[in-house]
Amino acid sequence: MGWFKRLKDGIQTATRNKKEAPEGLWYKCKRCKETSTMKEMKDNFLKCPKCNYHARIGSYDYFDIIFDGTYTELFSELRSKDPLNFTDLKPYTKRLDEAYKKNDVSDAITVAHGKVNRKALVIAAMDFKFIGGSMGSVVGQRIANAIDYCIETRTPLLIISKSGGARMMEAAYSLMQLPKTSAKLTLLAKHKIPYISLMTDPTTGGVTASFAMLGDINIAEPEALIGFAGPRVIKETIKKDLPDGFQTSEFLLEHGFLDFIVDRKDLKETLSDLLYFFDETRPANAS
Amino acid sequence: MVFLEFEKPLEVLYEQLEKLQQVGDEGEIDVTEMIKMLENKIKNKRKEIYSNLTGWQKVQLSRHPERPYTFYYIKQMCRKFVELHGDRYYADDKAIVGGIGSLDGQTVVILGQQKGVNTKMRQYRNFGMANPEGYRKALRLMKLAERFGFPVVTLIDTPGAYPGLEAEERGQAEAIARNLFEMAQLKVPIVSVVIGEGASGGAIGIGLGDRVFMLENTWYSVISPESCSSILWRSWDYKEQAAEALKLTADDMYEFGLIDGIIKEPMGGAHSNPEEMAKMLKRHIKKAISELQEMSEDERIDARIEKYSKMGEYSIISEEEIVNENDKK
């Protein structure tokens, strides 16, 4: 007899698949191992109330934190295909099915249009729970569509990166999402629409090597892992231990690749300030 | 001669040929006929082996130690060439080389990853794995080309961007991303050719082009078969399967519409007749450049972005299906 009763039927998540930002009543911090109530954690912008660890959270959590209440989800009709008929230990289609069942999102990125202190913003937020936040064709296409939408509606764009990199099961298709998203971002720049890139834990591989690093403003949450190659690969290559704090947000700020680091509790107000500066409808900004 | 594993039957035949030639040289028996027969046999065997190469065998060929590298092609294709060094910020990367050259009178900026030709040089060239400086040097040269209206040719041959500590400090990801952003809007034609290995971000970092070709026995993928095996199969032993699963050959890439063409290699691979290979490469590059020069700057950039915008395979579900999905959750 367990202490906690499952409220929903049909949940059969293996322990290793448990979500990192849990739903239940209690939250156990991945870093400090302290336990808080879920309510305390939610009131603390889904950070650990004890050590301020920024837990990995989902696309919809970011929408809730940033948008003024309601928002409209866009391009949710796009779904991943299996163009290569890819099978490793499992068929890719099976991995996809499992990911759909396990998650509230329909791929590793979700796009929504809403308001931030009454100023319009399109957010494309990645979700690590969906196949490691990996970038396949759908991620690339949703970003491409979001960019077109931002150009049409003259709305600023925020992309929240949280990804292990490219989606291997889509091989070269996933690789081509790097040039695709980068090329599309040049159109946004040509139309003088601001693009803010928020990097969160983790942002690595092909995502970092394309849109994540290309913001007009590049920002990150504290202590996120951000890099091109993963730490394990680097360690194996150079055969040395990596210094403390290597590839963290703070490391990137120090080396000149970030504009600033923002605590999740200040995220909304910070974005709101940025949107104010860039707001082209303000008379003072009229050229 | 270096024989790859799958070329073993050829090695045996070559050994026989050598012995036969020795006998002939001793002059007691006339072996001309037998040599002719054996040479024919070798030719047929080679054709047989090379017309049925697997993905993994092509990966091996792309890494053949005798395969020609970027500098070889540059020197064969350009009567005049001046190498230009340095990114102007930090250093001169040895794994990406480039400069100004002349393709039968047409000035071009030509650059690419360079692997070393012997043990010492392989280390010097960091095995064709560039640091951020390499990508920044490449961009500097491309901007130079843009200023003076020279077409850009990039030759891709890398096992990946270097995954090192300093590379991260100096922004490997930023350097690659910046190149993609700038190459998308570069005002001059860009022709890219995978001449060996086309591994992931390290390859695409100089690989966004109006025309992208692959030599017949090369590969292009988001990850090497070895790394893919280690991550997805959790063991290094599945590289052959990974190579098949990744569909990384020139034929696959062309079929997917992710490259614009395949350049045939001489029978037995580029290394079996490098001069002929360089001639074919030059012919394709020149043709692509002259086609691209007929377009206006804007047309070219629009077409380039349009081409990449179309890359991706996904399905679109109906509103009803979305509602159904949401109800289930």
Side-chain angles (χ1 to χ4, degrees):
Chain A
M1 181 65 195
W3 280 30
F4 302 106
K5 196 180 161 194
R6 286 228 151 130
L7 296 174
K8 278 189 193 166
D9 287 331
I11 300 177
Q12 287 181 338
T13 319
T15 311
R16 63 190 166 84
N17 292 336
K18 287 275 194 234
K19 293 178 183 178
E20 280 145 298
E23 281 165 13
L25 288 168
W26 300 95
Y27 166 72
K28 189 177 175 194
C29 179
K30 210 173 100 178
R31 187 172 65 184
C32 72
K33 314 285 182 220
E34 295 284 326
T35 307
S36 322
T37 67
M38 203 58 217
K39 187 175 178 310
E40 284 171 331
M41 197 240 183
K42 279 191 174 152
D43 290 346
N44 197 36
F45 297 87
L46 298 163
K47 301 177 298 172
C48 172
K50 305 277 173 13
C51 74
N52 204 35
Y53 171 72
H54 284 54
R56 284 182 188 172
I57 59 175
S59 305
Y60 294 114
D61 295 324
Y62 279 107
F63 296 157
D64 290 340
I65 289 171
I66 298 169
F67 284 133
D68 307 337
T70 59
Y71 54 86
T72 315
E73 192 176 331
L74 302 168
F75 321 121
S76 58
E77 70 279 10
L78 303 184
R79 286 294 181 282
S80 287
K81 260 167 97 168
D82 179 20
L84 306 181
N85 221 338
F86 194 97
T87 299
D88 47 271
L89 293 175
K90 261 183 216 175
Y92 177 37
T93 47
K94 195 159 174 238
R95 281 185 197 272
L96 283 170
D97 282 340
E98 286 171 3
Y100 292 136
K101 270 183 206 139
K102 209 175 78 179
N103 291 297
D104 51 0
V105 288
S106 59
D107 214 294
I109 203 164
T110 307
V111 183
H113 186 190
K115 298 228 159 138
V116 182
N117 292 342
R118 298 185 305 283
K119 292 178 284 283
L121 178 67
V122 169
I123 304 179
M126 300 193 80
D127 201 315
F128 195 74
K129 296 190 299 295
F130 197 97
I131 317 188
S134 56
M135 169 161 65
S137 300
V138 167
V139 170
Q141 190 61 38
R142 282 188 182 166
I143 288 176
N145 286 355
I147 289 168
D148 288 338
Y149 182 89
C150 287
I151 292 171
E152 250 167 64
T153 56
R154 295 208 64 84
T155 312
L157 173 67
L158 167 70
I159 301 181
I160 303 176
S161 295
K162 189 183 278 295
S163 170
R167 192 171 295 171
M168 276 174 279
M169 302 76 137
E170 293 188 26
Y173 283 103
S174 83
L175 179 61
M176 293 307 157
Q177 304 313 306
L178 277 71
K180 175 174 174 169
T181 52
S182 307
K184 290 296 279 191
L185 280 173
T186 66
L187 301 180
L188 200 65
K190 272 198 159 173
H191 285 88
K192 299 194 196 314
I193 292 171
Y195 161 44
I196 302 164
S197 168
L198 169 64
M199 292 167 242
T200 69
D201 186 58
T203 299
T204 59
V207 166
T208 325
S210 58
F211 56 85
M213 276 291 162
L214 293 174
D216 293 304
I217 312 269
N218 285 344
I219 60 181
E221 289 188 339
E223 297 171 90
L225 170 74
I226 305 168
F228 175 67
R232 191 178 55 88
V233 175
I234 298 171
K235 215 174 138 177
E236 279 171 14
T237 307
I238 64 171
K239 299 182 175 64
K240 268 187 251 170
D241 281 333
L242 301 174
D244 281 344
F246 180 61
Q247 292 187 311
T248 57
S249 309
E250 293 71 18
F251 175 92
L252 267 89
L253 181 71
E254 195 52 39
H255 285 90
F257 293 100
L258 293 178
D259 288 291
F260 55 85
I261 293 170
V262 59
D263 190 288
R264 205 177 275 160
K265 82 169 156 38
D266 304 320
L267 181 57
K268 177 167 180 162
E269 289 313 310
T270 306
L271 289 170
S272 173
D273 284 350
L274 290 177
L275 292 175
Y276 172 81
F277 298 135
F278 288 106
D279 183 0
E280 60 188 10
T281 64
R282 277 169 55 218
N285 275 354
S287 46
Chain B
M1 264 199 270
V2 180
F3 292 94
L4 298 170
E5 226 174 82
F6 62 88
E7 290 178 313
K8 286 286 175 222
L10 277 179
E11 188 171 14
V12 175
L13 290 176
Y14 269 104
E15 273 166 15
Q16 285 176 4
L17 185 68
E18 206 175 309
K19 272 182 205 153
L20 209 55
Q21 276 163 341
Q22 265 173 18
V23 172
D25 288 347
E26 281 159 19
E28 299 195 356
I29 313 161
D30 183 16
V31 289
T32 339
E33 273 304 304
M34 284 166 79
I35 286 183
K36 229 183 230 170
M37 261 170 61
L38 203 53
E39 279 173 344
N40 239 337
K41 212 169 160 187
I42 288 176
K43 205 174 139 196
N44 290 336
K45 192 82 206 164
R46 177 170 279 146
K47 208 169 173 183
E48 185 193 314
I49 293 174
Y50 274 82
S51 50
N52 289 303
L53 293 177
T54 64
W56 175 245
Q57 288 168 340
K58 287 191 177 178
V59 171
Q60 289 174 294
L61 262 182
S62 76
R63 298 169 177 166
H64 196 290
E66 288 166 349
R67 206 175 161 84
Y69 300 139
T70 291
F71 266 140
Y72 175 82
Y73 289 123
I74 291 179
K75 279 168 192 163
Q76 289 290 314
M77 295 192 298
C78 301
R79 206 168 55 83
K80 282 178 195 278
F81 174 76
V82 178
E83 189 184 355
L84 302 173
H85 293 272
D87 68 346
R88 298 291 188 269
Y89 297 113
Y90 182 78
D92 180 46
D93 193 90
K94 307 296 190 290
I96 288 184
V97 298
I100 314 184
S102 154
L103 275 182
D104 296 337
Q106 167 72 61
T107 304
V108 293
V109 158
I110 180 161
L111 57 96
Q113 284 102 356
Q114 174 69 28
K115 292 179 176 173
V117 291
N118 54 40
T119 312
K120 199 177 148 199
M121 289 306 283
R122 274 190 272 280
Q123 219 148 36
Y124 179 74
R125 297 287 177 200
N126 202 25
F127 306 90
M129 294 186 285
N131 275 287
E133 302 78 79
Y135 295 100
R136 291 181 184 132
K137 170 163 78 176
L139 182 57
R140 181 177 77 82
L141 297 184
M142 289 190 267
K143 286 288 181 185
L144 175 82
E146 183 177 53
R147 205 171 309 133
F148 294 96
F150 305 145
V152 170
V153 177
T154 73
L155 302 179
I156 298 166
D157 188 9
T158 181
Y162 187 59
L165 191 137
E166 290 86 3
E168 295 288 324
E169 283 180 343
R170 299 196 292 269
Q172 188 72 289
E174 195 276 343
I176 292 170
R178 184 65 47 205
N179 279 15
L180 294 174
F181 191 86
E182 296 294 337
M183 289 176 90
Q185 291 286 342
L186 203 77
K187 294 191 176 101
V188 290
I190 308 173
V191 179
S192 292
V193 187
V194 182
I195 58 165
E197 299 188 86
S200 199
I204 199 78
I206 57 165
L208 190 158
D210 297 298
R211 295 284 185 278
V212 179
F213 301 115
M214 286 173 75
L215 301 193
E216 190 185 353
N217 298 311
T218 62
W219 62 277
Y220 207 165
S221 175
V222 73
I223 190 164
S224 71
E226 287 91 339
S227 305
C228 181
S229 161
S230 105
I231 296 171
L232 291 182
W233 277 267
R234 299 192 187 98
S235 145
W236 293 98
D237 302 334
Y238 294 86
K239 50 187 192 285
E240 282 97 341
Q241 282 95 318
E244 294 308 313
L246 288 167
K247 303 216 165 49
L248 40 61
T249 67
D251 289 332
D252 293 322
M253 291 292 286
Y254 185 66
E255 194 185 314
F256 298 151
L258 300 178
I259 58 165
D260 302 293
I262 301 171
I263 303 175
K264 285 285 249 183
E265 293 188 15
M267 186 54 69
H271 62 282
S272 69
N273 192 345
E275 276 180 42
E276 179 60 25
M277 187 71 258
K279 272 187 202 147
M280 300 238 258
L281 180 63
K282 182 174 177 178
R283 204 178 317 137
H284 274 81
I285 292 172
K286 276 181 66 182
K287 182 163 174 278
I289 289 176
S290 55
E291 282 167 15
L292 292 165
Q293 281 173 329
E294 280 171 24
M295 302 166 80
S296 73
E297 257 171 45
D298 288 345
E299 275 171 357
R300 220 166 25 228
I301 294 169
D302 287 351
R304 191 186 297 154
I305 294 175
E306 186 60 24
K307 178 177 89 166
Y308 282 97
S309 298
K310 283 191 184 134
M311 291 184 186
E313 276 289 322
Y314 51 87
S315 54
I316 295 174
I317 64 169
S318 66
E319 290 221 358
E320 204 178 324
E321 285 169 291
I322 297 176
V323 173
N324 279 342
E325 268 183 15
N326 289 341
D327 285 349
K328 268 187 223 158
K329 274 168 185 160

